[in-house]
Amino acid sequence: MFANRTGIRETNERTVLSVILNEGPLSRAQLSEKIGLNKASVSAIVKTLIDQQLIKEVGIGESTIQGGRKPIMLELNKAAGFAISVDIGHDYIDTMVHYLDGSTLKRKLLPFRVVEKATITADLVTILQEITAQLPESPFGIVGMTIAIHGIIHNNAIDFTPVYDFSDFPLAEELEKHLDYPIFLENEANLLALSEHAKNSAFSNLVCISIHAGVGAGIIMNDQLYTGENGLSGEIGHMIVQVNGNPCTCGGNGCLQTYSSEKVLLDTYRELSGNKEAIIPDVYRAYAKNDALAMKLINNMIDYLTIAVHNIITLYNPRVIAIHSEISRLLPEFPEKIKHKLPHLTSANIQMKHASLGEEAILFGAAVVTIANFLEVPRFELKK
Ligand SMILES: [Zn+2]
């Protein structure tokens, strides 16, 4: 296992770094005022962080109303190292290299991949060598990698994945044989929620719903990711929405993901339309032309999602529920359609919206995990 860095940095150092990361550029005087530390202490910490090349002096700020010397401003040295994010879907591998402020250096999406445990380690090592070749010189190099898994993760291990055969496969340990940086595994919907929270830190209680081959939710309660006792929390794809309903991979019947996943939408559309090659944008285009089949299938998907959203609100009472899926990105009114179907009790105070960071949201959530671990900051706001 990797060494957990937590605790290496002193509390005040973490606070200074966090404020510069989230609110910079700032002068030493502004830092002193925001943190409530005297200027000598702030200057000493700033010197340490500059010596470590984690922050840098950038230009001159405005002088105060009282006049005087214009202050030197400080900001994160975002190119001091790089974070890698990987999203392993049922048939794709999506990757991104980030600067230390979470912004994108490069992204590579590899669609239509065979994803299985027999080949995934070698596949990933090859892909990572390609995307990290010719990174700019930096003091810290690659500071870590977070991998989004479509399944249940507990203690950085894969407990259960219905969409590929990784259940109990020690992916992080296998990769650590080839890579010399920390590797974190996390559920993809949890990463989605972390990205939404990092983008909108005013939302202390939020739920993100990710719809792909399955359906999952990431839950932020009181500004913390909630994963439950064994990482099962948020597995809403297995919330039962129909008595004696469709059989599910979990062994149950009537689970949400057998009605509202994109895979079910696409499989049903392909079968009933006769267009075996159809992709999600084809279903959207048919819907936009008022095609009866596409309208029926999408409305059915929304009906079952509405049951799930209602249940989520009764359990967690979030301020916001954000939806993340290809079909919802094509249909701007998708979240509002769910809201309109909710009964008064649960529709009254909920904001239904799209996930803020679009198609790349899960990758940005992965960056939050890697970078917050490396910098040991208590708070991380994504500025993208
Ligand atoms: Zn199920």
Side-chain angles (χ1 to χ4, degrees), residues 117 152 157-161 164-171 173:
K117 70 179 172 190
I152 299 172
I158 306 171
D159 270 9
F160 174 66
T161 54
Y164 28 65
D165 64 346
F166 292 4
S167 301
D168 298 322
F169 176 60
L171 180 62
E173 286 82 352

Side-chain angles (χ1 to χ4, degrees), residues 186-199:
E186 185 52 271
N187 169 271
E188 54 97 25
N190 289 346
L191 294 175
L192 179 65
L194 287 173
S195 77
E196 191 68 29
H197 186 248
K199 182 67 187 164

